[in-house]
Each structure stands twice: as structure tokens, then as C-alpha cells.
Amino acid sequence: MKKFLFILVVASVGAAWYFYDPHLKPYIGSYVEQAQKVMDGAKGDNFSQEEAESSKKTSEDPVPQDKTPIKKSEPQKMAKVEKKEQSLPMSDMDVLLAKRYPMPDIKPLLEIVDNWNRVPSKAYPKQVVINERIAFQLIVEGKAIGASVAVPGTAVAPLRLDRGTLFVMSLANQSMKSQIPVDQTDFKQQVQKRYDAFVVKTRNQVTSNRAKAKKKLASNPEVYKNFGKAAAGWDDPNDSRFELVKASLAKGDVKAVQLSEAKQFRWNGSERINGDLFRGTYDTVSVKFEVKTIFGVFPNEFKCLLQAGRVVGWIDPLTLEEKI
């Protein structure tokens, strides 16, 4: 009881000191501090044993670790799936199709354009858009007789890329030419876009060819059997039996290839063809090509059909589709 009265008196005086008269602080400050200690002790006496145990446990227990397994990212999943698919055994037919229609090994774009130092002319887009103002001059017989200004967003024709400078021509007047830093145009983006489109188109074509050939072989096992036998070897390319075949290639009968790209020849002799367009018995010649493009070298193989001393057509050796 005395303890409670002491706390009450000191607390009342302390309140008066703090809220009404700051000049009392030097005289009763020590008593206020003592009362604060007593009050803290009283609070400690009333602190439940259960709370104390809970507080102790919280302070001593280590921070729980998150044991949730880390999920693999989508690229990791895809890489794992692709690796698994590659490890699966291929059937003899799939091996043959992969060999006949190989997935192209296309050069990286920066290698093709020599890090933008030598861009092949075939890779140039027909037009590009400029990002800054440039002045065009009209040159006639070596003299400037007129000029105009093209604003950002104007389409121009690229002529030549030299050390980071793109020489361009006005689409409205081919006599008006100018130059601009290549990075101030969408030239590189346009080349990249064409490259990406080529890669996708080429790979899709290979996949399509394999699928069509597999379907054809499944319905015509004889073609599969004969193709496997014929793939054993190649003949002397200078054999006179190939003269008609070479002449057909030189005339451009097959637009996808050239005579200079024909690397190997094989005389198959008489063969029965049951294609949609060509049906009957022909002397056939298999020709293996290496088609050169700015994107790389792509292997291919076609079959030439001869009858009565003349070339009557070219077909894919597996799908039997006409090649023109």
C-alpha cells in the first residue's frame, strides 16, 4: 500500500512538472526516475509466465528456412525436353529422312555481314526509314542543280554501306542521293528481320518435307527400299550418261539449283515411278547438290527422269513431287 501511495504522489508531481512547470525538473527528477523503475518492476511482476515463455522461444528459435523446392524456369524445362527427345532412338526411316532433309546449319547473322562491315548486296532491304533530317542533292553531269530535305520517317533506298555510313537514294527521284549514319536508320533491323524470316521458313520447309516424305514412304514401301539401296555410292561425274542431265541443269530446268552446284551423280538404271505427275518406267539419275546462299551451304538431292533419250522431268526422290 505504501509503495502504491509513493508511486501515486511521485507520478502526480511528475505530471505537474512535465506538463505545467518545467522549472521543477531539477528538484524532483530523481524521484520521477525512481518511480519509473518501480512501475517497470510492477509491470514485470504482472507479466504472465506464458508470455515470457513465448517471448523466450521467439528470440531463441532460428528463423525458419523456406524449404519449398525451386521451380525450374521454362527455358530449363525446354532444354531438358529437347535433350530427352534427342536421346530417343530414331527409326531407320527417320534416320533416312534426317539425312535426306538435313536441318540447315545457318551461319549467324553477324558472321554473314562481317559485323556490319561487309553486308552482301542480296541482304539489302529495298527501302529503309531514316530517323534524322538529311539533305538530298540533285546531281546532273557532276553538278548539283537542286536540293531537298527529307525529314525523319521518310523511306529511302539503301545503296551502299561503308564504315558505318549508309549511302541512300530518294525514292521520288533516283538522281537525288545523300548519306546518313546507318544507326540513324532501320537498316540493321530490316536485315535482321529478313534473316529471321529466312531461318524460320527454311526450317519449316525441312520439317514439312520430312513429314510429306514419311507419309509417302509409309504408303509406298518400295520407294523406301529402293532409296536405301541406291544411297550406297556415287559414280564418276564425267560419265557420258550424265550429259543430258547436265544440259538440263544448264538450261535452268530446275530453278532451285544450278549446274555448278551439282557435286555428285549416280546412275540408277530403269526404275518404276508412281508419282502423282510422273507414272511409268524411266531411266533415273540421282544428283546431289550443294546450294550456296548468303546464309550458308545447303545440301539437296533431286532425281532426273529420262525416257527415249531425253529428260522428261525432275522429282524429289522420296516424295516424288516434281521439281521445276
Side-chain angles (χ1 to χ4, degrees):
M1 185 65 178
K2 291 180 180 180
K3 187 177 182 181
F4 174 77
L5 291 174
F6 172 76
I7 294 172
L8 181 59
V9 172
V10 174
S12 300
V13 176
W17 164 51
Y18 277 102
F19 295 103
Y20 296 99
D21 194 351
H23 299 288
L24 294 175
K25 182 177 181 181
Y27 303 101
I28 65 173
S30 61
Y31 297 101
V32 174
E33 292 176 359
Q34 185 178 356
Q36 183 66 42
K37 291 180 180 179
V38 174
M39 293 173 68
D40 290 343
K43 182 179 178 181
D45 293 338
N46 296 327
F47 199 69
S48 69
Q49 184 68 21
E50 183 179 349
E51 291 172 325
E53 290 297 329
S54 175
S55 176
K56 181 180 179 182
K57 184 177 180 181
T58 302
S59 62
E60 291 179 354
D61 287 348
V63 178
Q65 299 295 322
D66 184 6
K67 296 183 179 181
T68 305
I70 300 175
K71 295 182 179 180
K72 291 185 178 181
S73 64
E74 287 302 319
Q76 287 177 318
K77 289 181 181 179
M78 291 300 297
K80 186 175 181 180
V81 171
E82 290 178 0
K83 185 176 181 181
K84 183 177 180 181
E85 289 178 348
Q86 291 175 358
S87 63
L88 293 176
M90 297 176 66
S91 67
D92 291 342
M93 184 179 292
D94 287 331
V95 171
L96 174 64
L97 293 173
K99 188 175 182 180
R100 167 63 186 91
Y101 305 104
M103 196 58 71
D105 183 15
I106 302 175
K107 296 179 182 178
L109 178 60
L110 287 182
E111 180 181 337
I112 294 172
V113 300
D114 189 22
N115 201 27
W116 301 107
N117 291 317
R118 283 190 295 272
V119 180
S121 58
K122 291 182 179 180
Y124 275 52
K126 291 183 178 180
Q127 62 183 44
V128 298
V129 174
I130 61 175
N131 299 327
E132 66 176 28
R133 293 167 61 92
I134 57 174
F136 281 97
Q137 285 190 330
L138 178 60
I139 307 297
V140 176
E141 296 181 354
K143 295 181 180 181
I145 62 172
S148 67
V149 174
V151 299
T154 301
V156 297
L159 299 175
R160 176 170 55 93
L161 178 61
D162 185 15
R163 299 179 183 181
T165 298
L166 185 66
F167 293 83
V168 297
M169 176 181 68
S170 170
L171 294 176
N173 189 332
Q174 296 184 359
S175 298
M176 304 188 76
K177 297 174 182 163
S178 187
Q179 60 189 58
I180 185 174
V182 68
D183 290 335
Q184 290 300 317
T185 74
D186 65 347
F187 178 86
K188 292 181 179 179
Q189 292 86 342
Q190 291 277 10
V191 174
Q192 180 75 58
K193 184 178 179 180
R194 294 185 66 194
Y195 173 82
D196 293 342
F198 174 84
V199 172
V200 171
K201 180 181 178 181
T202 303
R203 289 176 176 169
N204 287 345
Q205 185 63 54
V206 172
T207 301
S208 175
N209 288 341
R210 289 181 181 180
K212 287 189 293 185
K214 191 169 186 176
K215 183 178 180 181
K216 191 74 176 181
L217 293 179
S219 62
N220 194 349
E222 192 64 26
V223 174
Y224 172 52
K225 181 179 177 181
N226 291 337
F227 187 86
K229 288 180 179 179
W234 299 90
D235 298 322
D236 182 356
N238 296 316
D239 192 314
S240 59
R241 292 176 297 180
F242 304 138
E243 292 303 318
L244 288 175
V245 177
K246 293 179 179 179
S248 175
L249 291 172
K251 287 192 302 180
D253 288 345
V254 186
K255 301 295 187 296
V257 293
Q258 300 178 10
L259 174 58
S260 60
E261 296 168 335
K263 303 301 179 183
Q264 293 177 301
F265 297 81
R266 180 177 58 243
W267 180 265
N268 302 314
S270 182
E271 186 177 352
R272 178 71 184 179
I273 302 297
N274 293 309
D276 294 335
L277 180 62
F278 296 101
R279 288 180 175 272
T281 301
Y282 305 87
D283 285 334
T284 70
V285 176
S286 295
V287 183
K288 200 166 190 176
F289 299 89
E290 291 182 2
V291 182
K292 296 181 179 180
T293 74
I294 62 173
F295 302 103
V297 178
F298 303 99
N300 215 330
E301 183 179 332
F302 297 143
K303 181 176 287 187
C304 183
L305 307 181
L306 300 101
Q307 199 174 58
R310 67 185 184 89
V311 172
V312 295
W314 289 81
I315 61 173
D316 182 290
L318 291 186
T319 66
L320 306 182
E321 293 179 335
E322 184 183 17
K323 294 297 176 182
I324 56 175

